[in-house]
Amino acid sequence: MGRIGAFLLLAGVLLAGCEADPGADTGSGAAVKQDAVERTGEAPVTAEAYDPARDYFSFANRDGMTVRHIELDLDVDFERQVLRGYAILHVGLTDPAKLAWLQEAESGGPDDAGRTTTGDALRPVYSLTLDSRGLQIERASLLDETGGARSLTVSRPDAAPDPVRGHAVRIDLPVDFELAGVFRIRIDYQTGPGASAIMWLPPELTAGGEHPFMFTQSQSIHARSWIPLQDTPAVRFTYDAVIRTPPGLLAVMSADNDPQAQHDGEYHFSMPQPIPSYLMALAVGHLDFAPFGDRTGVYAEPEILPAAAAEFADTQAMLEAAEALWGPYEWGRYDLLILPPSFPYGGMENPRLSFLTPSLIAGDGSLVSVVAHELAHSWSGNLVSNATWRDIWLNEGMTNYLEGRLMEVIYDRERADEERTLNYHDLLDLLGTVPENMQALAPRFDEGDPDVGQDGVEYRKGQLLLDTLEHHFTRPVFDAFLRGYFENFAWQAITTEQFLEYTDQNLLAAHPGVFPRERLEAWLYRPGIPDEAVVPSSASLERAGAAAAAFAGGMSPPDEIPAGRWSPLATVHFLQSLPADLAPERIAALDSALGLTGTGNAEIARTWYTRAAEWRFRPAYPAMRDYLRHYGRIRLLRPVYEALARNGEDLDWAREVFADARANYHPLTVAAIEPILAVESPPTVAAAGH
Ligand code: BES
Ligand code: ZN
């Protein structure tokens, strides 16, 4: 180390456990790079033990300093399809010993604290590494109290972006800058073409057909494609935003939307509760508002607002039921936003404003469990968050469990059990396709893509664990435990290990002999379903399954199938229970008796078109094509495309439909479907659609 000559070294980064690539180009010439490469040889990242607290999907050097607050100021430019403006990051120091710093040295080596001890002008140069994807950064400046700004050096430590994680951005603070308190960095930027979070819709893809629409989807790691930030759930910040739109359009965010806002093209938001970056959200469109109750309402295009208001009328009651179970709703208002059909998910729990697919508007309220799910995330996920993407089961598994509880309160046990049982069947299917190393609730997860993750195991197995714990400890005990859990970890991001310790102390050890810690560890760290799982069942699904067996055996004529008395989920189960070989006339008879082709219920349609593709039942194909073109929700599309790709005859047709529909899809939908159609024998795991 006592080398003569100027060099820069990412000393702090190496000490802090390699949050950044130590082989990175530090921007000061070949000799420097050589030195860094030598350092890489000494401490290869790949040889490191897996660290469950580390976010392997973020470049941000959050150990020393974290973003506490963001001021956003963005113009929404539909013509160029960019967001353009600036973000002011308010950055605070956390653990100074872990600061990433670059050291400028003439000679000598670092002392124990990592600072150079010899040479007069030697000072550490601190830098902030942020996540980004495709952002065009125009400049970065350090703001001072008096309104002045100093220009900062921006560099890209890696020559090329990582296909999943994007491109790290390093901002160096001035050599003479005294780190203290909270300082502000302004970054002027615009989003790149094809930003992974954003969908820009032409008027044809909206309900009204006259105005453009745009929306973001930040989960899992796409916030970095529209805001330069520390894109990890471990960091929470508050935000303010000014959003400018073309006249007549309304902007809404995961913040304090004002139902009475004038639609004047300039919107001001503030989000006083700290949130992780994956909950940053913005949508702009020709939107109106309808209230449900004093704290709840729905935003939608005027053409679908009445249908949406009717479909989701139970939202206020759900909110009240949730508070009675898990404690006060901490976020102020709870509103819904109905997006155009290209929205890639069923719902997204953006705080104060859940984003929803319009495919939930079935006309009979039969699909509102997605609202229960997104609302429940206000506790499991938004209040207590996953520390890393490996811990996502804490959000999704727990939320599936809470969703079931809400469905029981608002509707009845039968309906909740239908959903639990179908989820359990899905889990059994998933365990046949998801590799064993991703079947643990908390797997080793340091490569791959957080959007694919465990392909849905985290939802169903997580739910099954909580249903099982509830059963073993009794409902009153488990409810009290959960309330304590939310209170204890409110506004924090936690690891599975923190969950394990807390649960051990407050549930398992508090009631000895009921559920040993080793059993809980088996759920968390081992594949498959442990023996003590409490398997759900549903009498109505069993009846539908029996009807399927009777029909398949030729015993029952289609017009005697009592589908009119079934819930849509029972029809789903009926269809799923039919055999792989069914005569075309029988399928056709079923179709006309149950009105399947062209059905308005998206869950029935999903199952029907998947089965139709498996059976190569061509009369359904024109309607199937319309369905595939209309929706962008991954869950609705993926099984149908998979069945087409695998049925031995229709891969080319599926590719044609996809090529034609692609412009209607969000970038995340394209990313999820493309691999299914890209290869002759498609991979078993493409991308999640929960
Ligand atoms: N947070 C998820 C959506 C999500 C997950 C987006 C992973 C990106 C990556 C949301 O809460 C969700 O689970 N949606 C489900 C609803 C269902 C389980 C009731 C969906 O979209 O289908
Ligand atoms: Zn969820």
Side-chain angles (χ1 to χ4, degrees):
M1 277 293 275
R3 181 182 293 200
I4 308 293
F7 63 89
L8 287 167
L9 175 61
L10 278 164
V13 171
L14 290 171
L15 290 172
C18 298
E19 277 269 330
D21 173 10
D25 184 350
T26 53
S28 51
V32 171
K33 193 161 189 189
Q34 184 55 38
D35 187 68
V37 169
E38 281 167 24
R39 299 284 313 178
T40 313
E42 285 169 38
V45 175
T46 46
E48 270 179 62
Y50 183 76
D51 175 359
R54 173 172 162 194
D55 186 342
Y56 287 85
F57 299 98
S58 171
F59 292 109
N61 60 335
R62 66 183 165 87
D63 282 340
M65 35 186 148
T66 60
V67 173
R68 305 280 170 79
H69 180 78
I70 299 182
E71 291 171 59
L72 268 185
D73 189 302
L74 294 172
D75 289 347
V76 183
D77 183 340
F78 279 95
E79 253 145 57
R80 294 180 50 234
Q81 303 199 334
V82 294
L83 299 176
R84 177 154 198 255
Y86 62 83
I88 299 175
L89 307 183
H90 296 224
V91 184
L93 299 182
T94 48
D95 183 352
K98 289 184 172 168
L99 277 171
W101 54 277
L102 299 157
Q103 188 174 287
E104 204 166 358
E106 297 278 298
S107 61
D111 64 11
D112 289 348
R115 279 156 212 263
T116 296
T117 50
T118 57
D120 285 344
L122 308 184
R123 297 181 63 100
V125 178
Y126 294 102
S127 74
L128 179 66
T129 305
L130 301 173
D131 292 296
S132 84
R133 187 202 308 280
L135 296 182
Q136 293 172 24
I137 294 185
E138 282 146 24
R139 63 179 168 277
S141 28
L142 181 66
L143 305 184
D144 65 30
E145 301 303 318
T146 59
R150 290 176 68 179
S151 181
L152 299 173
T153 306
V154 179
S155 60
R156 303 278 186 173
D158 302 306
D162 177 272
V164 173
R165 294 178 299 169
H167 213 171
V169 175
R170 207 185 74 207
I171 300 177
D172 295 344
L173 292 161
V175 182
D176 61 356
F177 181 62
E178 289 293 340
L179 275 182
V182 173
F183 56 95
R184 292 175 302 149
I185 294 180
R186 171 173 160 152
I187 303 168
D188 289 74
Y189 71 100
Q190 55 181 301
T191 55
S196 58
I198 310 181
M199 182 154 189
W200 299 94
L201 290 94
E204 311 84 84
L205 295 183
T206 66
E210 277 179 32
H211 302 271
F213 201 108
M214 71 79 68
F215 63 87
T216 63
Q217 167 59 41
S218 295
Q219 195 183 7
S220 303
I221 53 171
H222 305 285
R224 63 190 68 176
S225 77
W226 65 287
I227 308 170
L229 40 56
Q230 294 178 312
D231 198 5
T232 167
V235 170
R236 280 174 176 265
F237 52 85
T238 52
Y239 75 87
D240 296 320
V242 182
I243 304 290
R244 282 177 215 84
T245 74
L249 300 185
L250 178 66
V252 287
M253 291 192 84
S254 49
D256 63 337
N257 299 291
D258 173 9
Q260 262 94 48
Q262 294 298 312
H263 296 198
D264 59 4
E266 181 170 310
Y267 302 95
H268 293 252
F269 300 95
S270 129
M271 183 57 177
Q273 288 97 357
I275 60 167
S277 55
Y278 77 88
L279 297 175
M280 287 299 293
L282 166 69
V284 177
H286 187 234
L287 294 168
D288 265 351
F289 176 81
F292 299 126
D294 55 344
R295 283 185 293 165
T296 55
V298 56
Y299 292 89
E301 288 187 70
E303 293 74 12
I304 56 166
L305 188 61
E311 195 82 26
F312 305 117
D314 288 333
T315 304
Q316 174 93 13
M318 281 186 188
L319 176 61
E320 284 159 17
E323 288 189 302
L325 281 167
W326 308 304
Y329 176 77
E330 300 279 4
W331 303 87
R333 293 192 60 86
Y334 180 70
D335 295 317
L336 309 177
L337 169 68
I338 313 302
L339 289 126
S342 55
F343 187 61
Y345 293 101
M348 177 64 214
E349 66 272 27
N350 297 316
R352 297 178 177 219
L353 184 68
S354 288
F355 283 26
L356 297 176
T357 167
S359 67
L360 303 180
I361 304 176
D364 57 3
S366 59
L367 305 179
V368 299
S369 60
V370 176
V371 177
H373 180 98
E374 306 314 335
L375 169 66
H377 270 307
S378 307
W379 286 264
S380 47
N382 300 5
L383 192 60
V384 180
S385 308
N386 55 315
T388 78
W389 296 107
R390 163 191 192 250
D391 307 303
I392 191 63
W393 80 273
L394 288 172
N395 294 19
E396 298 301 349
M398 196 173 289
T399 300
N400 259 18
Y401 166 79
L402 300 187
E403 171 195 335
R405 296 294 306 276
L406 275 184
M407 293 307 285
E408 270 186 40
V409 178
I410 303 292
Y411 304 101
D412 53 35
R413 176 97 199 200
E414 178 168 308
R415 183 160 173 182
D417 280 343
E418 282 186 353
E419 287 172 7
R420 288 191 184 103
T421 307
L422 282 185
N423 281 343
Y424 179 72
H425 293 163
D426 287 347
L427 176 60
L428 296 180
D429 289 347
L430 283 168
L431 295 181
T433 58
V434 173
E436 282 209 342
N437 65 342
M438 291 309 272
Q439 293 182 9
L441 278 175
R444 182 187 171 115
F445 192 20
D446 52 359
E447 53 186 23
D449 183 342
D451 282 346
V452 178
Q454 297 158 270
D455 210 27
V457 169
E458 68 279 27
Y459 284 72
R460 281 95 183 176
K461 186 170 168 183
Q463 174 176 23
L464 191 62
L465 167 60
L466 296 173
D467 273 321
T468 298
L469 289 174
E470 180 207 292
H471 177 87
H472 281 87
F473 288 95
T474 76
R475 202 166 255 200
V477 168
F478 194 64
D479 284 354
F481 163 75
L482 272 187
R483 274 196 298 276
Y485 167 84
F486 292 132
E487 206 178 313
N488 188 67
F489 291 115
W491 312 111
Q492 294 180 44
I494 66 167
T495 60
T496 297
E497 286 61 40
Q498 284 171 281
F499 168 88
L500 172 62
E501 288 314 319
Y502 182 86
T503 305
D504 191 11
Q505 280 169 27
N506 295 280
L507 189 66
L508 312 194
H511 304 271
V514 178
F515 204 93
R517 179 182 168 118
E518 303 78 68
R519 297 313 308 151
L520 182 53
E521 286 173 349
W523 285 81
L524 301 178
Y525 302 120
R526 279 187 232 138
I529 301 177
D531 292 342
E532 68 276 8
V534 176
V535 174
S537 66
S538 148
S540 50
L541 291 193
E542 270 161 33
R543 285 193 295 274
F551 178 75
M555 274 113 66
S556 145
D559 49 12
E560 281 177 22
I561 296 167
R565 280 183 272 126
W566 288 344
S567 71
L569 291 188
T571 302
V572 164
H573 183 62
F574 170 84
L575 292 171
Q576 285 176 340
S577 306
L578 292 170
D581 55 333
L582 205 55
E585 320 77 69
R586 298 283 285 162
I587 302 172
L590 192 66
D591 185 8
S592 63
L594 271 54
L596 296 167
T597 299
T599 171
N601 187 295
E603 290 296 318
I604 296 177
R606 169 184 191 261
T607 316
W608 168 241
Y609 294 125
T610 304
R611 302 295 340 240
E614 286 166 4
W615 291 319
R616 291 169 297 213
F617 179 64
R618 298 266 145 67
Y621 278 35
M624 183 194 294
R625 177 193 273 265
D626 292 345
Y627 165 91
L628 292 172
R629 282 174 50 93
H630 183 65
Y631 290 117
R633 182 181 176 192
I634 299 167
R635 175 184 159 81
L636 297 183
L637 302 181
R638 188 179 139 175
V640 183
Y641 276 116
E642 269 173 356
L644 289 169
R646 287 203 190 117
N647 75 6
E649 289 181 8
D650 294 321
L651 179 59
D652 285 339
W653 186 76
R655 284 179 176 152
E656 247 173 65
V657 174
F658 178 71
D660 184 37
R662 188 190 169 110
N664 303 1
Y665 295 156
H666 186 280
L668 293 172
T669 306
V670 172
I673 303 300
E674 227 165 17
I676 298 172
L677 304 175
V679 284
E680 285 306 321
S681 67
T684 44
V685 176
H690 318 297

